[in-house]
Amino acid sequence: MSVVKSPLSEQDRKTVGDALQGALVDLVDLSLVAKQVHWTIVGPRFRSVHLQLDEVVTTARQHADTVAERASALGIAPDGRAETVAKTSAIDTVGSGWNKDVDAVRIMVEALGAVISRMRERIRDTDEPDPVTQDIIIGLTADLEKHHWMFQAENA
């Protein structure tokens, strides 16, 4: 049941809905992974990486809200439940215990890379059916790529 009617055709709504749902799941998981690493990082670069991780969390959470609200505006119920995120995220799980600063950076480079790769697919998928959604995904991908670059520079 959809209480909000979308101006998109059913086919386009499905394509865009899949892109938005996938983006939401990846952003929610990215925020959780970054926060877990934030809590468990140790090493000489603790403070700088610790603060950088919170920046990723803020970015991911803000964009997750925008993505979820876009889905709602199109009559697509967003699903950010833990079960859904665990089943469908592209990000590898983070092990328990402490993470050396070098490992924390590597984890984030890999997580961001996985999410960015999927976001770029969503950019292509939403080009024709909904340029508004595409624009949202382009903007959030740019922000994620900036974080990806900054984390890569940490271990260069």
Side-chain angles (χ1 to χ4, degrees), residues 70-81:
R70 177 64 184 161
S72 294
L74 295 174
I76 302 157
D79 186 355
R81 297 173 301 152

Side-chain angles (χ1 to χ4, degrees), residues 4-153:
V4 177
K5 301 299 178 203
S6 171
L8 300 176
S9 71
E10 196 56 37
Q11 171 80 24
D12 289 350
R13 187 175 168 274
K14 166 92 172 87
T15 300
V16 172
D18 289 348
L20 289 167
Q21 179 58 39
L24 176 62
V25 163
D26 285 348
L27 290 165
V28 168
D29 200 21
L30 180 64
S31 73
L32 295 171
V33 165
K35 199 47 124 166
Q36 181 63 33
V37 175
H38 168 89
W39 293 325
T40 60
I41 186 173
V42 294
R45 294 180 300 159
F46 164 81
R47 180 147 175 81
S48 64
V49 177
H50 182 81
L51 295 173
Q52 194 174 356
L53 288 160
D54 263 346
E55 293 172 4
V56 173
V57 172
T58 299
T59 297
R61 287 179 179 169
Q62 288 173 341
H63 284 300
D65 192 53
T66 299
V67 164
E69 289 179 356
R70 177 64 184 161
S72 294
L74 295 174
I76 302 157
D79 186 355
R81 297 173 301 152
E83 177 183 6
T84 303
V85 172
K87 285 181 181 176
T88 59
S89 174
I91 303 172
D92 286 336
T93 58
V94 177
S96 62
W98 301 107
N99 288 291
K100 293 286 294 172
D101 52 5
V102 170
D103 296 327
V105 169
R106 179 190 45 76
I107 289 166
M108 291 309 301
V109 167
E110 290 172 5
L112 285 159
V115 172
I116 289 165
S117 176
R118 286 175 45 136
M119 290 300 178
R120 288 190 160 276
E121 291 173 17
R122 294 175 185 122
I123 290 168
R124 286 187 292 276
D125 292 346
T126 56
D127 177 38
E128 287 296 320
D130 188 20
V132 176
T133 295
Q134 183 192 43
D135 186 56
I136 290 169
I137 297 172
I138 288 169
L140 72 88
T141 302
D143 288 346
L144 296 177
E145 287 178 343
K146 183 176 180 182
H147 287 298
H148 190 240
W149 156 56
M150 291 183 173
F151 274 106
Q152 288 180 79

